[in-house]
Amino acid sequence: MPVIDVNGLPAPEVRPYHVLITGFGPFSRYAVNPSWLAVKPLHNTILTMDPPDEPLTVDDQILMAEANSFAQDARDIYLSTLQVPVTYEDVLAIVPGLHARPPVLPPSADPNLPDIMPPADGFDLIFHVGVAGRGPLRMERVGHKFGYNMKDATGSLAPIVRVTRDENSNSNRGQSEPSEMERMERARLSEYLIEAPVDGTEPPKRGFGKGYESFSEEIFTEIDVEKLVHHLKKSGIEQIYSSLDAGHYLCDFIYYCSLAESKRASGKADKLTTKVIFLHCPPVDQPLSTEEVTEAIKKSVIWLCGAAAKSGLPST
């Protein structure tokens, strides 16, 4: 799967897939975020799709012409990357624009990277990457609306949300009963203070409010994460598993925001869905190297674009 620089190439005859990969900026002890170290080398490059590793079936019928069809319809995958600051405010300001058509992108945080030329008809896939603690890669399945009580890299908290009585009774688990992954995030990021209760009361509910009222408390990606993880394991990326808990910090926050904006855009008559996925990577060499994480991202993107091609559904 060669990586090719897109500069100077003639316009393709067949529209390529357009993929945006985001990593996070500096925070905590990371002068350069491990997620950005893995994402940055993919900026402004092209991946080529692998031939299908198994026959395509429709209603249990094997399509015998699949190989010829793949050779005729194979599309390149154009990659762009973006560094997102580790703040709630920046996520809310940046992510909606990523799902616009054409996308609206902020200036690059890295002056050494070429500018992104956003596709007029939008990205087919937005692949978010963020750092977690030591351990395997985690491909996340769901983003959460509430429960963001840790301060970001600037010491700011997520917006306070006015919720209905039903929402309040159904969604306190992100605050009074933190999940295992959230407890791990709190321990890992102990310098980012957690909002303390006032006079023995629960801290205010924080997360997504105005503009996100119509979205559910949890949004699942439309991508079949289990199949993706299975494919990656078969292809040699063994240290990876799927997860239902992105940690209720900035990784979870950007994932929910992106999933919601994808749904918002797809609800418009002239809009097609931009698929969204999130990958948690460990710090460098704990145990995976930066190069191994980059390779996992590449293999994921190729599989996801191949799955889109196999589905027979129109792409953006």
Side-chain angles (χ1 to χ4, degrees), residues 109-128:
D110 189 333
N112 296 319
L113 290 184
D115 291 337
I116 297 174
M117 297 298 292
D121 48 359
F123 292 106
D124 299 286
L125 170 68
I126 297 181
F127 195 117
H128 300 289

Side-chain angles (χ1 to χ4, degrees), residues 17 49 75 124 275 303-315:
Y17 288 101
M49 289 176 58
R75 295 156 64 184
D124 299 286
K275 297 294 190 293
W303 186 87
L304 289 165
C305 291
K310 288 180 185 182
S311 71
L313 297 176
S315 184

